[in-house]
Amino acid sequence: MSQDIQARESGMRAGVVLRPERFDEVTRIMGCTSEAARARLLGVDPKTIYRARHGILGEEFIAKVIDAMRANEPVLNAAGIDVDFEEVFEVGEKPAA
């Protein structure tokens, strides 16, 4: 049985997921030390960040994270972090909708 079929059978599917530890590190470098601060930075409800941490995220959330990273590129680059999708997101398994 293929891995894709096994993933679907276990209630999981392939998709973009947040790398929570890296997201926290990147947003901390951008000055955010709480979920409320992260939500303000991104212009989203704190529930949106909670959902993203649990595998429920959309293209608008992804775009807002990348935009915030671009706006803080000098600070991130000084810390050795590239403004790149793969810094805070990865393709992995997430709960099936």
Side-chain angles (χ1 to χ4, degrees), residues 1-14 93:
M1 189 178 311
S2 79
Q3 193 172 20
D4 289 338
I5 292 171
Q6 288 174 355
R8 277 189 238 122
E9 287 177 2
S10 66
M12 302 295 282
R13 65 181 176 90
E93 289 189 355

Side-chain angles (χ1 to χ4, degrees), residues 54-69:
H54 291 87
I56 304 166
L57 64 154
E59 64 183 54
E60 184 176 355
F61 177 80
I62 294 168
K64 287 184 176 201
V65 171
I66 299 301
D67 282 346
M69 290 174 70

Side-chain angles (χ1 to χ4, degrees), residues 38-93:
R38 290 179 182 100
R40 282 190 301 276
L41 172 73
L42 300 176
V44 300
D45 189 283
K47 292 177 191 172
T48 301
I49 294 175
Y50 174 86
R51 286 191 289 271
R53 290 183 183 282
H54 291 87
I56 304 166
L57 64 154
E59 64 183 54
E60 184 176 355
F61 177 80
I62 294 168
K64 287 184 176 201
V65 171
I66 299 301
D67 282 346
M69 290 174 70
R70 286 180 180 151
N72 289 276
E73 188 168 10
V75 173
L76 293 173
N77 288 164
I81 296 172
D82 293 325
V83 174
D84 187 74
F85 172 86
E86 292 175 340
E87 282 291 339
V88 291
F89 299 103
E90 65 186 348
V91 175
E93 289 189 355

